[in-house]
Amino acid sequence: MEEKSDNGRLILVGAPLGNPGDASARLREILAAADVIAAEDTRRLARLARDLDVTITARVVSYFEGNEERRTPELVDAILGGAVVALVTDGGMPSVSDPGYRLVRATIDAGASITAAPGPSAVTTALALSGLPCDRFCFEGFLPRSGGARRSRLRQLATEERTLVLFESPHRVVGALADLAATFGADRPAALCRELTKTYEEVLRRPLGELAAWAAAGDPRGEITLVVGGAPAVAAVRPGDDELRAEVAEREAAGTSRRDAIAAVAGEYGLRRREVYEVVHAEPR
């Protein structure tokens, strides 16, 4: 059992992504023994406790994106006063694209003890299920909400050679996939992982163009994690100007904007966007 200490501490608790059967024995012990539980959604915490047959005696407080700044000093004071505070999000590890980073930083700055009870992670679960290379990857969390900012960020990522993992909300995934296909190329391999570990779990392993068409034709719901293959290795030989112009034109004919087509071609060959731009706008010899 987790023992209470005169020296308070913060425990980051990895919660199941959806299937209560993934909960560890240590998670059960912490929920039963903590003095304070800070939960992203107190109703979900109550449901999880029922599913695990755990009786919670701790003081339960909400801790989500909207009240982190206000709630953090209260929780740090409790830790400094000797309380064991457990931080639980709706699923996965706190502070990984979820509430918690602010509290972790404040606890460290206060010189208090902090530890973790690791649990399931949507990042590594989706990565493993994707069938894409897992030896080197990068996690980008959620893309910017607005289309312009999202496309700008994707242009920066177009030449990333590591497998890319993203979170996306159901109501933004159509636009995100369309921008990914336009910027990275419709043929870039990817996987859309939906409702991981839950009853309606679904993993679609298709090129970005096909995933974008699938999302646009339907109504994707649930928690979504996207895994995208890394950019191809830089070509050993730079294509000729005519070939570069032809590749940009081909993408434009498929509906991609010239700006995004130039970014995609530059990323594919490891060239500066400005170089491809000047070739496209120069008069052919």
Side-chain angles (χ1 to χ4, degrees):
M1 294 286 291
E2 291 288 333
E3 295 181 358
K4 296 181 182 179
S5 169
D6 291 336
N7 297 317
R9 63 191 182 279
L10 172 65
I11 305 177
L12 306 178
V13 181
L17 302 177
N19 190 327
D22 294 332
S24 68
R26 190 169 176 223
L27 180 147
R28 291 176 167 85
E29 294 168 359
I30 291 170
L31 294 183
D35 299 306
V36 180
I37 299 177
E40 182 179 7
D41 187 326
T42 57
R43 293 167 300 180
R44 288 200 183 191
L45 172 65
R47 185 163 62 247
L48 177 62
R50 287 195 302 271
D51 290 338
L52 301 180
D53 195 24
V54 170
T55 299
I56 292 178
T57 60
R59 178 168 67 92
V60 176
V61 299
S62 62
Y63 191 80
F64 54 90
E65 186 177 354
N67 74 354
E68 275 186 286
E69 184 173 2
R70 173 174 55 85
R71 187 76 78 183
T72 293
E74 171 191 332
L75 293 173
V76 172
D77 285 344
I79 295 166
L80 293 175
V84 173
V85 175
L87 178 61
V88 185
T89 63
D90 291 347
M93 282 298 294
S95 83
V96 180
S97 282
D98 273 314
Y101 171 77
R102 190 189 298 271
L103 179 57
V104 170
R105 188 68 256 172
T107 302
I108 293 170
D109 291 343
S113 178
I114 179 171
T115 187
S121 165
V123 177
T124 53
T125 301
L127 188 65
L129 289 174
S130 71
L132 295 168
C134 302
D135 53 337
R136 296 173 65 243
F137 71 93
C138 59
F139 174 58
E140 275 291 315
F142 287 93
L143 291 170
R145 293 174 181 268
S146 68
R150 181 173 61 223
R151 288 187 287 274
S152 176
R153 181 61 186 143
L154 289 176
R155 284 192 289 270
Q156 295 172 8
L157 294 170
T159 57
E160 173 58 63
E161 295 184 7
R162 294 170 295 178
T163 298
L164 181 67
V165 183
L166 302 160
F167 288 161
E168 196 49 88
S169 64
H171 65 277
R172 292 201 303 269
V173 72
V174 172
L177 282 168
D179 288 342
L180 277 162
T183 308
F184 287 13
D187 294 332
R188 183 81 71 91
L192 183 149
C193 305
R194 189 179 70 85
E195 294 290 88
L196 288 170
T197 78
K198 300 177 185 177
T199 302
Y200 299 104
E201 176 179 286
E202 182 176 27
V203 180
L204 298 176
R205 303 173 185 88
R206 303 176 186 176
L208 282 172
E210 292 184 24
L211 285 178
W214 172 85
D219 183 22
R221 298 185 180 184
E223 302 288 338
I224 294 173
T225 304
L226 298 173
V227 186
V228 183
V234 176
V237 180
R238 178 192 182 280
D241 289 356
D242 289 343
E243 185 177 346
L244 289 176
R245 277 190 286 267
E247 292 204 25
V248 171
E250 181 179 349
R251 284 174 165 79
E252 286 189 89
T256 303
S257 69
R258 173 165 291 187
R259 181 179 181 181
D260 287 340
I262 287 173
V265 171
E268 182 174 347
Y269 292 105
L271 302 173
R272 292 180 297 108
R273 289 196 297 272
R274 184 68 186 177
E275 180 179 355
V276 179
Y277 175 90
E278 290 175 350
V279 168
V280 169
H281 289 85
E283 289 292 332
R285 295 180 179 180

